[in-house]
Amino acid sequence: MGTASSRKWHYLPTTMLLISMISGLYIYQVTLDKWVTNNMKDNLTDLLSDIAYEIHEDNPNFPSLTSEGITEYINHLPQATDEKRISIIAEDGTVLGDSSISHRELSTLENHANRAEINLAFTQGSGFDIRYSSTLGIDMLYVATLLPLHNSTYVVRLSMPMTLLKSMSSDLMTILFTLMSSSVLIMIVSTVISIRRIDERIKAEKNLQEERIQQRTFEIELLHRLANMLAACNSFSEAQKVIADIVPRILGDINGCVSLMRNSRNQLTIKLDWGQQWPAAMSYSPQECWALRRGKYHLSNDTHHSLPCSHNSDVGDDQILCIPLTAHGNTIGILHLYFGDKHYIVSQETRQLAFTVAEHLGLALANLSLQEKLRTQALIDPLTGLFNRRHFETTIEEQLMLAKRDEMPLSLLMLDLDHFKRFNDNFGHDAGDYVLKEISRLLIDTVDTADIVCRLGGEELAVLTPHLNAEHALSLAKRLCHSVEKLHLNLNGISLGTLTVSIGIATFPDSNVNKEDMVKYADVALYKAKDQGRNRAIHYLYDQASFPHPLELHPSKSSGNTSDTDIANA
């Protein structure tokens, strides 16, 4: 029963092919009919153009001729045959002459103004239609064209029976059907003969195929997980963990790494690796890798050459596979696989898996690099390289929440460059940009690595110092004031003089403020520093009694931020 049942399935391809051939014959017949019709339409259109040209050259005076005269004139045209019917129709739709019907039949013809080809000819210059002719009792193909003559407009129409077209299609279909029937017969005989051999081959390959399917399913699942996990990564450190865990499961116990192209595109650096420590160079130029120079994968040793890449000179001529990582049409790096012994043969299966892994890595790492770049652009001030106001507003919320949770202090230093507008007016905005960069560099060099330095806008800067109490924050601020004052500013060999900075400080919870008021209190302290002569640091906590409440200082400002105009007027 099992054998008989399985043999039935062997005929399925033949049956399906037969069905598809029958369907194909039908589609071919429809297509052939359309082709023959269109071809004949084109021929009739060309012939009609010749007729119209001859009539125009003869220049007959149709109004002075009777219908018999017009019909006799048409019948004398060389294009008029038994199969091809020529008609002359007046602008009002009256048939003036017809080469295929008698004068008596012509007089009984109904008006042709509503015929599709006639309407198209009068409106567009030419027309075409296929319909049943009640006069001749058969389907006809009509083509018509406009004929201006003697200040009047006529339509000359050429038609032919569809029986001729169908006869041509039928002959072609008969030839095709004969050929296909012979092919089907030969195929059926061949199928019957091959069934026994196919059964034997199926039995021999069944177990091996099942093992391959299981292996491929496992590999596909791993590749799917690799792609999903890489897409969810927010940093290269997370990508390192994902790759180190999943890639060896796909490629096996093979030492590998990924080198990425720097923005300058003159050097590649190993960014991700798995297995043992990578034995070759950790950075190299693009010219040192055959894969980059050729634009395709390169194997150190195969049957045709033994040419290791220069960047792998530390391991001699050991077997290494380099595969370019591409994304969006650009090469972003190289996938390196180290196999060891130069005589190691890399199977085609391993190569294909490596190519697939490289495709996933290329796109995922390119997207990750783009995310980091966009994240940096969104959070970094392009002039100074400091964090921007957006990052400041997000970070202060996070840091205040952590300070409250851990019961640790958090200090905020609000900095404003003294008389910066006057400095810009005297030396120009290029000098102002230079000063902002220098002050930003000084801040980064002075504060702790855990501190967060931001540019809030213009010359207004801020420093968030986690775990720094009021006393230490004030000490840091005074040190910054001193450092800025001692800073020598020279641009293009021109001394810009000295610059000073005023700093206002607030500390959570030492200043007895909540997180909403922290920026306001630091701003109030900054305003006080400006008011007391600038070039100084004041903490809100130490002069709190003399400070007005932020809302009293700026009752019209809900944010409590002191504007440059307010400070300048202080």
Side-chain angles (χ1 to χ4, degrees):
M1 290 294 293
T3 304
S5 177
S6 63
R7 286 189 176 182
K8 290 179 181 179
W9 289 103
H10 290 311
Y11 293 101
L12 180 61
T14 304
T15 304
M16 296 302 296
L17 182 59
L18 184 60
I19 294 174
S20 65
M21 291 176 70
I22 294 174
S23 301
L25 277 174
Y26 173 76
I27 295 173
Y28 178 79
Q29 183 177 6
V30 173
T31 304
L32 181 62
D33 289 342
K34 290 182 179 180
W35 178 83
V36 171
T37 300
N38 290 333
N39 191 48
M40 188 55 66
K41 172 192 170 184
D42 294 338
N43 290 335
L44 289 179
T45 301
D46 294 339
L47 192 60
L48 184 61
S49 297
D50 295 340
I51 294 173
Y53 177 79
E54 289 191 22
I55 294 176
H56 190 272
E57 289 294 315
D58 293 343
N59 197 22
N61 189 5
F62 287 148
S64 64
L65 297 176
T66 64
S67 59
E68 292 180 354
I70 295 175
T71 299
E72 183 179 356
Y73 170 77
I74 294 173
N75 284 323
H76 280 85
L77 292 174
Q79 294 85 357
T81 63
D82 294 338
E83 294 83 10
K84 296 180 177 63
R85 175 185 176 188
I86 303 174
S87 305
I88 301 295
I89 297 95
E91 192 169 2
D92 61 356
T94 304
V95 180
L96 302 178
D98 194 298
S99 64
S100 296
I101 59 177
S102 64
H103 172 66
R104 190 178 66 83
E105 291 174 322
L106 183 64
S107 63
T108 60
L109 280 180
E110 61 183 15
N111 190 282
H112 279 38
N114 61 345
R115 299 295 194 269
E117 72 278 3
I118 304 301
N119 285 328
L120 288 173
F122 277 120
T123 58
Q124 300 181 10
S126 62
F128 164 77
D129 193 20
I130 297 176
R131 67 173 181 275
Y132 178 78
S133 173
S134 58
T135 304
L136 301 178
I138 56 175
D139 289 335
M140 297 288 289
L141 185 151
Y142 299 92
V143 292
T145 187
L146 201 63
L147 179 65
L149 198 65
H150 291 295
N151 297 324
S152 299
T153 303
Y154 304 91
V155 168
V156 57
R157 185 181 67 182
L158 182 62
S159 60
M160 67 175 296
M162 289 296 294
T163 53
L164 295 177
L165 302 180
K166 292 180 180 179
S167 176
M168 294 172 60
S169 299
S170 177
D171 292 341
L172 292 173
M173 286 299 300
T174 300
I175 296 172
L176 181 62
F177 181 78
T178 302
L179 292 174
M180 294 187 70
S181 299
S182 302
S183 301
V184 169
L185 181 61
I186 294 173
M187 181 188 62
I188 293 175
V189 173
S190 301
T191 302
V192 173
I193 294 174
S194 302
I195 285 177
R196 195 167 292 176
R197 294 183 180 179
I198 292 174
D199 284 338
E200 293 174 356
R201 293 293 300 272
I202 290 176
K203 291 177 181 178
E205 293 288 335
K206 184 177 181 180
N207 293 334
L208 181 60
Q209 189 66 22
E210 289 179 353
E211 293 177 0
R212 290 175 178 174
I213 291 174
Q214 292 177 357
Q215 181 64 25
R216 295 295 178 272
T217 303
F218 180 69
E219 292 168 354
I220 291 172
E221 176 62 24
L222 286 175
L223 289 169
H224 181 68
R225 291 195 179 188
L226 175 65
N228 286 342
M229 294 302 295
L230 287 175
C233 290
N234 290 324
S235 64
F236 279 96
S237 59
E238 291 182 349
Q240 166 68 48
K241 296 177 182 179
V242 171
I243 291 173
D245 180 73
I246 299 180
V247 172
R249 302 174 189 265
I250 300 174
L251 299 178
D253 188 18
I254 300 173
N255 193 10
C257 71
V258 173
S259 60
L260 296 180
M261 190 84 70
R262 292 188 174 181
N263 292 334
S264 60
R265 301 195 69 81
N266 62 356
Q267 191 175 28
L268 291 95
T269 304
I270 303 297
K271 292 291 187 181
L272 309 166
D273 61 2
W274 61 92
Q276 300 178 0
Q277 184 177 0
W278 183 247
M282 299 302 292
S283 63
Y284 57 93
S285 69
Q287 292 301 316
E288 295 182 77
C289 184
W290 285 112
L292 278 174
R293 294 167 67 177
R294 297 170 60 212
K296 61 181 296 186
Y297 78 93
H298 179 75
L299 190 64
S300 299
N301 305 280
D302 61 18
T303 56
H304 302 290
H305 70 255
S306 179
L307 296 171
C309 295
S310 299
H311 61 90
N312 297 325
S313 59
D314 293 345
V315 294
D317 55 0
D318 285 356
Q319 188 71 292
I320 295 182
L321 177 62
C322 299
I323 305 174
L325 301 179
T326 59
H328 313 300
N330 297 319
T331 300
I332 66 167
I334 294 289
L335 168 64
H336 308 279
L337 297 178
Y338 177 74
F339 300 94
D341 183 13
K342 66 173 292 185
H343 300 293
Y344 183 90
I345 299 177
V346 183
S347 66
Q348 187 64 28
E349 180 182 351
T350 300
R351 293 190 191 188
Q352 291 300 325
L353 281 174
F355 296 154
T356 305
V357 169
E359 289 179 6
H360 287 292
L361 290 179
L363 186 59
L365 296 179
N367 291 337
L368 189 59
S369 297
L370 180 60
Q371 289 177 17
E372 289 195 347
K373 183 177 180 180
L374 293 176
R375 191 181 300 116
T376 299
Q377 291 177 348
L379 301 179
I380 299 297
D381 175 59
L383 175 64
T384 62
L386 303 179
F387 290 112
N388 59 18
R389 178 181 288 274
R390 177 185 297 178
H391 183 71
F392 171 78
E393 292 174 350
T394 303
T395 304
I396 193 171
E397 291 285 339
E398 296 173 351
Q399 291 297 327
L400 282 166
M401 181 179 63
L402 293 175
K404 183 177 181 180
R405 185 195 68 185
D406 300 337
E407 297 182 355
M408 296 293 293
L410 172 68
S411 292
L412 170 62
L413 283 65
M414 297 286 287
L415 298 84
D416 193 271
L417 303 184
D418 297 329
H419 301 298
F420 188 72
K421 183 178 184 301
R422 187 187 308 166
F423 184 90
N424 267 341
D425 293 339
N426 292 335
F427 296 101
H429 288 284
D430 289 342
D433 291 346
Y434 164 74
V435 169
L436 285 173
K437 292 178 184 178
E438 288 297 305
I439 298 297
S440 300
R441 181 187 57 79
L442 184 145
L443 290 177
I444 294 174
D445 292 342
T446 305
V447 302
D448 191 75
T449 55
D451 297 340
I452 302 163
V453 186
C454 306
R455 182 189 180 194
L456 303 184
E459 69 273 20
E460 187 179 5
L461 308 173
V463 181
L464 272 173
T465 57
H467 309 303
L468 210 63
N469 59 25
E471 181 180 356
H472 292 102
L474 182 58
S475 176
L476 172 62
K478 290 180 177 180
R479 190 164 71 251
L480 288 173
C481 287
H482 180 73
S483 299
V484 171
E485 186 179 14
K486 295 299 182 182
L487 191 63
H488 295 287
L489 300 172
N490 293 280
L491 178 62
N492 298 328
I494 300 175
S495 175
L496 304 180
T498 61
L499 195 69
T500 60
V501 63
S502 299
I503 303 177
I505 312 156
T507 301
F508 175 87
D510 295 352
S511 299
N512 195 26
V513 297
N514 56 33
K515 62 181 182 180
E516 288 79 9
D517 294 332
M518 189 171 185
V519 176
K520 298 177 183 179
Y521 282 118
D523 212 20
V524 168
L526 173 61
Y527 185 90
K528 190 69 174 181
K530 292 279 189 180
D531 190 48
Q532 292 185 3
R534 297 180 172 84
N535 189 23
R536 66 193 64 231
I538 292 182
H539 196 292
Y540 181 84
L541 176 66
Y542 297 148
D543 199 12
Q544 186 174 4
S546 62
F547 280 15
H549 191 275
L551 295 180
E552 296 174 358
L553 183 65
H554 300 295
S556 63
K557 296 183 179 181
S558 59
S559 64
N561 291 332
T562 306
S563 68
D564 295 339
T565 303
D566 296 329
I567 293 176
N569 294 331

